[in-house]
Short mmCIF file of all heavy atoms in Angstrom, two decimals:
data_model
loop_
_atom_site.label_atom_id
_atom_site.label_comp_id
_atom_site.label_asym_id
_atom_site.label_seq_id
_atom_site.Cartn_x
_atom_site.Cartn_y
_atom_site.Cartn_z
N MET A 19 14.26 15.12 -26.73
CA MET A 19 15.37 14.63 -25.91
C MET A 19 16.70 15.18 -26.40
O MET A 19 17.58 15.53 -25.60
CB MET A 19 15.39 13.10 -25.92
CG MET A 19 14.19 12.45 -25.25
SD MET A 19 13.97 12.98 -23.54
CE MET A 19 15.51 12.45 -22.83
N VAL A 20 16.87 15.28 -27.72
CA VAL A 20 18.11 15.84 -28.25
C VAL A 20 18.22 17.32 -27.91
O VAL A 20 19.29 17.83 -27.52
CB VAL A 20 18.19 15.61 -29.77
CG1 VAL A 20 19.41 16.32 -30.36
CG2 VAL A 20 18.25 14.13 -30.09
N GLY A 21 17.11 18.06 -27.99
CA GLY A 21 17.13 19.47 -27.63
C GLY A 21 17.39 19.69 -26.14
O GLY A 21 18.14 20.59 -25.76
N LEU A 22 16.78 18.84 -25.28
CA LEU A 22 17.03 18.94 -23.85
C LEU A 22 18.48 18.61 -23.51
O LEU A 22 19.07 19.20 -22.60
CB LEU A 22 16.09 18.00 -23.08
CG LEU A 22 14.62 18.40 -23.04
CD1 LEU A 22 13.80 17.34 -22.31
CD2 LEU A 22 14.44 19.75 -22.36
N SER A 23 19.07 17.68 -24.27
CA SER A 23 20.48 17.35 -24.05
C SER A 23 21.37 18.54 -24.37
O SER A 23 22.37 18.80 -23.68
CB SER A 23 20.87 16.14 -24.90
OG SER A 23 22.23 15.83 -24.75
N ALA A 24 21.02 19.31 -25.42
CA ALA A 24 21.80 20.50 -25.74
C ALA A 24 21.65 21.57 -24.68
O ALA A 24 22.63 22.26 -24.33
CB ALA A 24 21.35 21.04 -27.10
N LEU A 25 20.45 21.71 -24.12
CA LEU A 25 20.23 22.69 -23.05
C LEU A 25 20.86 22.26 -21.74
O LEU A 25 21.17 23.11 -20.89
CB LEU A 25 18.73 22.90 -22.85
CG LEU A 25 17.97 23.54 -24.02
CD1 LEU A 25 16.48 23.61 -23.72
CD2 LEU A 25 18.52 24.92 -24.34
N ALA A 26 21.05 20.94 -21.54
CA ALA A 26 21.64 20.41 -20.31
C ALA A 26 23.15 20.24 -20.44
O ALA A 26 23.72 19.33 -19.82
CB ALA A 26 20.99 19.08 -19.95
N PHE A 27 23.79 21.09 -21.24
CA PHE A 27 25.25 21.09 -21.39
C PHE A 27 25.77 19.76 -21.93
O PHE A 27 26.84 19.28 -21.53
CB PHE A 27 25.93 21.42 -20.06
CG PHE A 27 25.39 22.66 -19.40
CD1 PHE A 27 24.49 22.56 -18.35
CD2 PHE A 27 25.77 23.93 -19.84
CE1 PHE A 27 23.99 23.70 -17.74
CE2 PHE A 27 25.27 25.07 -19.24
CZ PHE A 27 24.37 24.97 -18.18
N GLY A 28 24.99 19.13 -22.80
CA GLY A 28 25.42 17.90 -23.44
C GLY A 28 25.23 16.65 -22.61
O GLY A 28 25.68 15.58 -23.03
N SER A 29 24.57 16.74 -21.46
CA SER A 29 24.36 15.58 -20.60
C SER A 29 23.02 14.94 -20.94
O SER A 29 21.96 15.54 -20.69
CB SER A 29 24.41 15.98 -19.13
OG SER A 29 24.10 14.88 -18.30
N TYR A 30 23.06 13.74 -21.50
CA TYR A 30 21.82 13.05 -21.87
C TYR A 30 21.09 12.53 -20.63
O TYR A 30 19.86 12.50 -20.61
CB TYR A 30 22.13 11.90 -22.83
CG TYR A 30 20.93 11.39 -23.58
CD1 TYR A 30 20.42 12.10 -24.65
CD2 TYR A 30 20.31 10.20 -23.21
CE1 TYR A 30 19.31 11.64 -25.35
CE2 TYR A 30 19.20 9.73 -23.90
CZ TYR A 30 18.71 10.45 -24.97
OH TYR A 30 17.60 10.00 -25.65
N GLY A 31 21.83 12.15 -19.61
CA GLY A 31 21.20 11.69 -18.37
C GLY A 31 20.44 12.81 -17.69
O GLY A 31 19.32 12.62 -17.18
N LEU A 32 21.03 14.01 -17.66
CA LEU A 32 20.33 15.16 -17.09
C LEU A 32 19.11 15.52 -17.93
O LEU A 32 18.08 15.96 -17.40
CB LEU A 32 21.29 16.34 -17.00
CG LEU A 32 20.77 17.59 -16.27
CD1 LEU A 32 20.35 17.26 -14.84
CD2 LEU A 32 21.84 18.68 -16.26
N ALA A 33 19.21 15.33 -19.26
CA ALA A 33 18.06 15.57 -20.13
C ALA A 33 16.92 14.61 -19.80
O ALA A 33 15.74 14.99 -19.85
CB ALA A 33 18.47 15.43 -21.59
N ILE A 34 17.24 13.37 -19.44
CA ILE A 34 16.20 12.41 -19.05
C ILE A 34 15.52 12.85 -17.78
O ILE A 34 14.29 12.77 -17.65
CB ILE A 34 16.82 11.00 -18.90
CG1 ILE A 34 17.28 10.48 -20.26
CG2 ILE A 34 15.84 10.04 -18.25
CD1 ILE A 34 18.00 9.14 -20.18
N LEU A 35 16.29 13.33 -16.81
CA LEU A 35 15.68 13.80 -15.56
C LEU A 35 14.80 15.04 -15.80
O LEU A 35 13.74 15.17 -15.19
CB LEU A 35 16.78 14.11 -14.54
CG LEU A 35 17.60 12.91 -14.05
CD1 LEU A 35 18.67 13.36 -13.06
CD2 LEU A 35 16.69 11.86 -13.40
#
Side-chain angles (χ1 to χ4, degrees):
M19 294 303 300
V20 174
L22 289 177
S23 178
L25 295 176
F27 309 101
S29 176
Y30 197 77
L32 187 58
I34 293 176
L35 294 179

